Amino acid sequence: MSKFSGLATGKRVDGYVSRRAQVLKAVMKLQARLFFADPQWVIPNIIAPFIFTLVAFFLFGGQATSSSFLLYLVLGAGLMGMWGTTIYGSGFSISFDRFNGTLESTLAAPIPLSWIVIGRIVFNTLQGLLNAVLILVIGLTWFQVGFGLVNPPLFFLAAVCTFISLAAFGLVLSAVVVLSRKGGFITNAMEIPVYVATGTMFPISILPWLALPFAYFLAPTWGIEAIRLSAIQGYVGIGTGYWTDLGVLALETAGYLGIAFLLYKKVEAYAKRNGTLEEY
Amino acid sequence: MSKQGPNPAYAVEVRGLTREYTTRSFFGSVSKVTKALDGVDFAVKRGELFGLIGPNGAGKTTTIKILTTLLTQTQGDAFILGLDVRKELYEIRRRIGIVFGGERGLYNRVSAIDNLKYFSDLYGVDPAVARERIPQLLKVVGLEDRAEEKVEKYSRGMKQRLHIAKALVHDPELLFLDEPTIGLDPGGARDIRGMIREMKSQGKTILLTTHYMFEAEELCERVGVISKGKIVALDTPSALKGSVKDISVVELRTYGATQEYVEELKRLPDVVRVVADLDSEMQLIRVQTPQGANLLPQMAAKLPNGARIIDRTIKEPTLEDAYLRLVEE
């Protein structure tokens, strides 16, 4: 009798939602295992947030006249941490498979590639959230920042929406990286300008007018505004108000998701037409 | 005239498959078009073990990529289990398994069991079935004792056995094995060949590509020889060998033979082909000739000073001899 006889077989997961949920869960579990298996991730996730916070406090903290300004800094540093992790993870989401030699196996799976990438990006953004929480903890404990939120439910809502917008933006970037071998350069080049353009460390009103359209196009600009409005007493910011900021954030997030959907359709067709996705 | 649909007797059916690669200049204009496949036709019966052999760059990998839905053809039709590779890719992917040769295709920093769990989820295997099937598969491929170890600690042979388990995790009907024994030691390669036979005995259809002629001869019911993007022969290994029954193979083991000696042999009358391995201290030279042993005195006479023949054997032509004739014609 063959060694391969008598192996368990049975039904498959077929429902549209359950199938995608199965894939998202599997991808996130694998990402978590790979994360813990590789010590290099300590740098962007543990050391980098610590550095961001230190830099922010040494740059501005000495001039702080109120605890609200310190909270302003801590929230900005938290968003920087989230953004850094998201952009790093998005740029690397497919390159990782190229380096690892698993891209063919990933592409050969009976599920659209975008769902595998979504799982990775959600995990990366969750890492970014952890990163932001760590920055907050450092700020609260070491630098004695007061964390008296103006409106905790609205703060939570703004934080969740910002989280989703970062994931959506990460999805767009990951598609760009897949489509162009120069994509890695693009994502690397975007890391620092976004820190500047989204007002993480200072108000965007002091930016030159040419930079403002770029700042308004980026969802984190609106996300950090809404977060600060709901957290800091007397914060005015751009002056558009919490709900307007959140509305623009939602619109831009929807735009990112639409762009990502179109790009991923192109990615799948491109991969099949050119067969060069494994090259790097 | 309407296009002919797939034949239900075939697990793989390929008609006029053509694939061109276009290279573009910096400004986007077409600078070069390379034809990797040029009107390939073949079919694999359900339950058959079919071999696709050919030199590097002949079109084997391009064919496999199209059949596994990873690449689109420029022209022609390809059906897998009656499904069109251009239109029904996700259904095809669910029903096929792929074993890539070499080190590709596994997450090295996690365990074998984590790899199999991940791919079973990607392929939509019910988690309850996977919980039962994965340990069974690891046992079958002989990895049950090291299932929790990181794959990076595995030997090349163990990784290849894990590749087999991975390809079978979703119980596919059709398997594509792309050079599954490449880089393995003889023992590891023998294990993999044993598993291929076992999978075949389970009724799986298998399409195997290989560089090793003895492997194709030993395993495959039929073999397609691909060269320069075309199928140049398709038959059973014994029938293909029959195409070179007019020749014998004189196999010489020599000491001190040089490339000049090989060139001298090629110039002898009635020598069809000479294949030589001169890299080691003792050289192996295979001479295809219709004269057989009659040519030995002339071969000995051409030896350079100090060189000698240590052993000589007259052999029946193998699939490799047939293959060499086919791809060089």
Side-chain angles (χ1 to χ4, degrees):
Chain A
M1 198 173 74
S2 165
K3 285 198 289 187
F4 289 93
S5 60
L7 295 176
T9 55
K11 62 183 169 121
R12 291 169 189 268
V13 177
D14 273 326
Y16 183 90
V17 175
S18 53
R19 181 83 185 87
R20 275 141 187 85
Q22 181 187 29
V23 169
L24 288 180
K25 191 176 152 199
V27 172
M28 289 171 71
K29 265 168 78 176
L30 181 76
Q31 288 303 108
R33 289 200 167 98
L34 292 167
F35 176 76
F36 288 116
D38 192 348
Q40 68 155 317
W41 300 113
V42 169
I43 296 169
N45 291 283
I46 307 293
I47 297 172
F50 186 73
I51 302 289
F52 287 151
T53 314
L54 279 182
V55 169
F57 276 91
F58 288 128
L59 272 175
F60 302 110
Q63 301 159 28
T65 51
S66 66
S67 65
S68 60
F69 184 65
L70 288 174
L71 186 57
Y72 175 95
L73 289 180
V74 167
L75 294 173
L79 191 78
M80 278 169 74
M82 273 182 81
W83 170 250
T85 311
T86 305
I87 200 162
Y88 186 68
S90 307
F92 209 53
S93 60
I94 290 294
S95 308
F96 169 74
D97 274 322
R98 283 197 188 119
F99 294 134
N100 212 33
T102 44
L103 191 58
E104 278 174 324
S105 299
T106 303
L107 291 171
I111 188 86
L113 179 65
S114 52
W115 286 96
I116 295 172
V117 176
I118 287 171
R120 289 178 181 171
I121 286 176
V122 171
F123 178 80
N124 291 334
T125 316
L126 276 172
Q127 260 178 251
L129 191 62
L130 189 73
N131 197 321
V133 169
L134 192 62
I135 287 173
L136 281 177
V137 170
I138 294 168
L140 296 176
T141 53
W142 192 358
F143 297 99
Q144 307 292 308
V145 174
F147 198 57
L149 300 174
V150 172
N151 191 328
L154 290 188
F155 174 81
F156 181 74
L157 178 66
V160 169
C161 291
T162 306
F163 171 85
I164 295 169
S165 77
L166 283 174
F169 197 57
L171 201 59
V172 174
L173 289 176
S174 69
V176 172
V177 173
V178 178
L179 283 169
S180 167
R181 283 188 237 175
K182 295 174 190 75
F185 165 75
I186 294 166
T187 54
N188 288 339
M190 276 190 77
E191 185 175 356
I192 304 299
V194 167
Y195 291 156
V196 176
T198 57
T200 52
M201 284 293 123
F202 47 80
I204 58 169
S205 56
I206 67 169
L207 291 173
W209 66 270
L210 271 171
L212 289 177
F214 180 61
Y216 293 141
F217 169 75
L218 295 167
T221 303
W222 305 98
I224 191 66
E225 276 298 297
I227 286 173
R228 281 176 175 149
L229 280 169
S230 58
I232 302 168
Q233 190 70 49
Y235 181 76
V236 180
I238 306 172
T240 42
Y242 178 87
W243 292 108
T244 306
D245 294 344
L246 213 61
V248 178
L249 178 68
L251 274 175
E252 289 193 350
T253 304
Y256 295 160
L257 288 173
I259 293 167
F261 174 77
L262 293 175
L263 283 178
Y264 265 96
K265 281 189 95 167
K266 199 171 159 66
V267 163
E268 302 240 351
Y270 170 89
K272 288 193 70 195
R273 190 176 62 246
N274 293 350
T276 53
L277 226 49
E278 299 92 336
E279 294 168 10
Y280 56 87
Chain B
M1 197 176 79
S2 66
K3 273 190 171 181
Q4 197 188 342
N7 182 335
Y10 296 131
V12 178
E13 201 175 355
V14 173
R15 297 184 203 138
L17 206 62
T18 300
R19 168 72 205 196
E20 291 169 351
Y21 288 99
T22 306
T23 312
R24 291 183 184 276
S25 71
F26 183 77
F27 299 103
S29 59
V30 174
S31 60
K32 191 181 170 193
V33 176
T34 310
K35 217 169 219 184
L37 293 181
D38 188 5
V40 167
D41 292 283
F42 70 91
V44 181
K45 289 174 257 180
R46 287 179 191 258
E48 185 179 17
L49 205 168
F50 183 89
L52 197 58
I53 59 177
N56 288 334
K60 298 190 298 291
T61 300
T62 301
T63 307
I64 293 281
K65 279 190 170 182
I66 292 172
L67 298 181
T68 54
T69 75
L70 293 173
L71 190 67
T72 41
Q73 65 267 45
T74 312
Q75 278 180 347
D77 293 309
F79 299 99
I80 299 295
L81 302 163
L83 303 162
D84 190 326
V85 293
R86 276 174 302 206
K87 296 174 188 159
E88 293 154 293
L89 62 160
Y90 293 121
E91 182 56 23
I92 290 173
R93 289 176 187 183
R94 285 179 78 142
R95 293 170 65 183
I96 64 172
I98 313 168
V99 174
F100 298 110
E103 297 278 344
R104 298 172 294 160
L106 295 167
Y107 291 96
N108 289 315
R109 286 185 180 269
V110 296
S111 69
I113 210 155
D114 289 337
N115 268 281
L116 294 184
K117 275 183 186 168
Y118 174 67
F119 283 105
S120 73
D121 281 330
L122 285 197
Y123 277 84
V125 179
D126 186 89
V129 174
R131 271 193 294 277
E132 216 179 322
R133 186 173 174 88
I134 289 170
Q136 290 172 337
L137 274 171
L138 285 166
K139 190 174 179 193
V140 168
V141 299
L143 292 173
E144 76 271 36
D145 294 334
R146 299 183 64 178
E148 302 282 354
E149 248 177 68
K150 282 185 185 178
V151 173
E152 65 190 1
K153 292 182 183 166
Y154 282 16
S155 67
R156 182 73 191 80
M158 289 166 73
K159 283 183 183 173
Q160 202 57 7
R161 281 185 273 149
L162 181 57
H163 268 300
I164 301 260
K166 182 187 131 201
L168 291 170
V169 79
H170 57 293
D171 194 21
E173 296 159 58
L174 168 62
L175 282 155
F176 291 91
L177 311 180
D178 191 10
E179 301 189 15
T181 60
I182 195 163
L184 296 184
D185 61 42
R190 189 191 54 216
D191 288 348
I192 298 295
R193 286 197 293 275
M195 284 179 198
I196 294 171
R197 275 191 218 94
E198 300 262 11
M199 291 188 283
K200 151 85 180 138
S201 73
Q202 283 298 294
K204 306 275 185 208
T205 308
I206 298 171
L207 199 161
L208 167 82
T209 73
T210 181
H211 269 112
Y212 306 124
M213 296 304 124
F214 71 93
E215 191 167 272
E217 192 170 351
E218 186 185 318
L219 293 172
C220 300
E221 291 158 88
R222 287 189 309 142
V223 171
V225 181
I226 189 165
S227 178
K228 293 171 189 161
K230 292 174 190 272
I231 296 281
V232 292
L234 198 162
D235 217 323
T236 61
S238 57
L240 288 176
K241 279 193 291 182
S243 68
V244 283
K245 65 183 175 193
D246 55 321
I247 58 165
S248 300
V249 179
V250 181
E251 199 172 276
L252 302 178
R253 284 182 191 281
T254 60
Y255 180 80
T258 58
Q259 187 59 43
E260 288 73 35
Y261 176 59
V262 173
E263 296 305 319
E264 290 275 6
L265 291 180
K266 285 180 183 172
R267 284 194 284 272
L268 286 176
D270 286 336
V271 167
V272 178
R273 188 171 289 100
V274 181
V275 181
D277 177 6
L278 304 176
D279 290 340
S280 47
E281 199 178 350
M282 192 188 292
Q283 301 84 42
L284 177 67
I285 302 171
R286 300 181 89 245
V287 181
Q288 295 178 10
T289 171
Q291 289 208 37
N294 296 336
L295 203 65
L296 277 168
Q298 291 179 69
M299 291 163 79
K302 297 286 181 188
L303 272 170
N305 284 339
R308 63 181 191 273
I309 294 172
I310 295 163
D311 186 30
R312 60 196 187 189
T313 323
I314 311 300
K315 291 189 165 177
E316 290 291 306
T318 62
L319 183 61
E320 184 166 356
D321 297 305
Y323 164 81
L324 287 172
R325 177 181 278 188
L326 286 163
V327 297
E328 285 174 16
E329 267 171 6

